[in-house]
Amino acid sequence: MALNLFTLQSRGHGKSVSDNQEKYDVDFSILGQTGLLPLWGRYWWHQNDAFNFQDPFAVKIVEQTNYDFKPIDKHIGGYGIALWGHRSFRLDAIARKHLESRPQGIVVNLGVGLDDPYQRIDNGQATIIDCDFPDTLNFREKFLPESSRRLVFKGSFFDMQWLDAIKQAGETTAQICLAGVTMYLKKDQMQELLTTVCKQLPGAKIAFDCLSPRGIRFLNSGMRRSPLPQEEVHWGLEGVQQLREWVGDGHNIRISSMFEGLTKSEFSWKTRMDIFGAEAVKLAQFVEITPH
């Protein structure tokens, strides 16, 4: 492990997998395997007390999966660790805030991948809805404890089964989160998603990270030279007016740097410079859409 990514202060949580404990091969699509990257980021954040971020589920998958995560450090390094961990940290905070006002409310994770936000945000009353493709979720199930308040929909989230479930439950709102998903969508898909949610569930709140068009070009260029599992990315946020046209005037839109609020001192000088450069050109952004 590349300990120079940031100052590691081990929690001592979790134990290394024993020799006789089963380890699983990665047996799902390349698109699903992109979830291994933020998984590694959450694993590292769990190890550092300064981030106040606990994710034993990430530790469990990393230690019980036959996959060499070290090339992620080599080819992406601290910038990826900072982005992936802080993204989950911010989305978790937003989900918890929603559940503070609606303890029995609903949080939706679209394109949840190899994550289980449920274990980090659960208040003992809420319903958490996860949606992703079957191969990814089938692999996740090997590590996942059951819960009657975690609803899982296997398939494209554009079939809107998760949205129908919310409406059938009589809910008028929900907190919808997308982590590392929007860039893999085409522009018309992103428009369809936001327009549909805002029309059919106008009380819903939506939070997601995204790239700028420059960020899309940068990432696609980097992937061509990288051996890491990647799929081509497509949609880049052109600005607040683009979102306004899709969601209408009934919502507030807040766009901030993906790294807003990050404790940068925990990272190496190189990572801090990478983050500074990304912020200067608004490479990675974070969007919160809330009804008036």
Side-chain angles (χ1 to χ4, degrees), residues 19-275:
D19 292 338
N20 60 356
Q21 191 168 359
E22 184 175 6
K23 299 187 74 172
Y24 298 95
D25 293 325
V26 172
D27 59 358
F28 46 95
S29 69
I30 293 296
L31 180 59
Q33 288 179 38
T34 61
L36 293 165
L37 279 64
L39 169 68
W40 185 239
R42 294 190 302 274
Y43 170 84
W44 271 101
W45 270 58
H46 174 91
Q47 305 295 333
N48 192 311
D49 289 322
F51 295 129
N52 191 27
F53 181 85
Q54 299 182 34
D55 195 344
F57 184 68
V59 175
K60 185 177 183 180
I61 297 184
V62 167
E63 294 189 346
Q64 291 184 233
T65 299
N66 284 319
Y67 185 81
D68 184 5
F69 289 89
K70 291 189 290 295
I72 299 175
D73 294 345
K74 177 180 179 181
H75 295 283
I76 299 180
Y79 178 85
I81 299 296
L83 188 151
W84 297 322
H86 194 53
R87 177 174 68 199
S88 292
F89 182 86
R90 290 187 70 174
L91 288 172
D92 286 357
I94 287 171
R96 291 191 190 101
K97 184 177 180 180
H98 174 71
L99 296 179
E100 285 175 3
S101 60
R102 299 181 68 89
Q104 295 182 326
I106 297 175
V107 174
V108 183
N109 303 297
L110 299 182
V112 67
L114 301 177
D115 194 7
D116 185 28
Y118 177 99
Q119 294 186 51
R120 299 193 301 269
I121 67 173
D122 181 41
N123 63 357
Q125 303 177 66
T127 297
I128 312 299
I129 296 178
D130 292 342
C131 186
D132 211 321
F133 293 114
D135 59 343
T136 303
L137 293 180
N138 289 340
F139 185 82
R140 188 182 73 145
E141 284 179 356
K142 298 174 182 178
F143 311 91
L144 197 65
E146 292 185 1
S147 171
S148 60
R149 290 182 294 100
R150 182 197 293 109
L151 303 183
V152 178
F153 290 93
K154 297 180 180 181
S156 170
F157 53 72
F158 284 101
D159 63 20
M160 299 298 172
Q161 291 186 49
W162 56 273
L163 185 57
D164 292 339
I166 296 172
K167 293 191 294 183
Q168 289 169 10
E171 282 289 330
T172 59
T173 186
Q175 176 63 62
I176 300 170
C177 301
L178 299 92
V181 174
T182 65
M183 60 284 299
Y184 292 102
L185 303 180
K186 302 281 181 68
K187 179 180 178 180
D188 60 341
Q189 291 177 311
M190 193 65 196
Q191 180 178 3
E192 177 189 352
L193 176 64
L194 295 183
T195 300
T196 300
V197 170
C198 291
K199 285 184 177 180
Q200 295 195 27
L201 200 67
K205 295 172 282 187
I206 309 168
F208 57 86
D209 67 298
C210 61
L211 299 175
S212 65
R214 183 199 296 256
I216 293 292
R217 294 192 296 270
F218 179 82
L219 183 54
N220 279 328
S221 175
M223 286 191 299
R224 298 187 188 103
R225 304 186 299 272
S226 173
L228 296 173
Q230 288 287 356
E231 283 276 335
E232 185 179 12
V233 293
H234 304 283
W235 178 70
L237 175 62
E238 297 171 6
V240 67
Q241 186 57 36
Q242 182 183 44
L243 297 177
R244 176 63 64 202
E245 293 174 359
W246 295 349
V247 306
D249 296 326
H251 293 76
N252 298 312
I253 301 172
R254 181 175 186 265
I255 302 174
S256 59
S257 164
M258 179 65 254
F259 299 100
E260 181 181 88
L262 175 68
T263 305
K264 300 181 181 69
S265 60
E266 291 298 310
F267 294 88
S268 69
W269 68 268
K270 181 182 183 305
T271 296
R272 295 197 297 271
M273 290 300 296
D274 288 341
I275 293 172

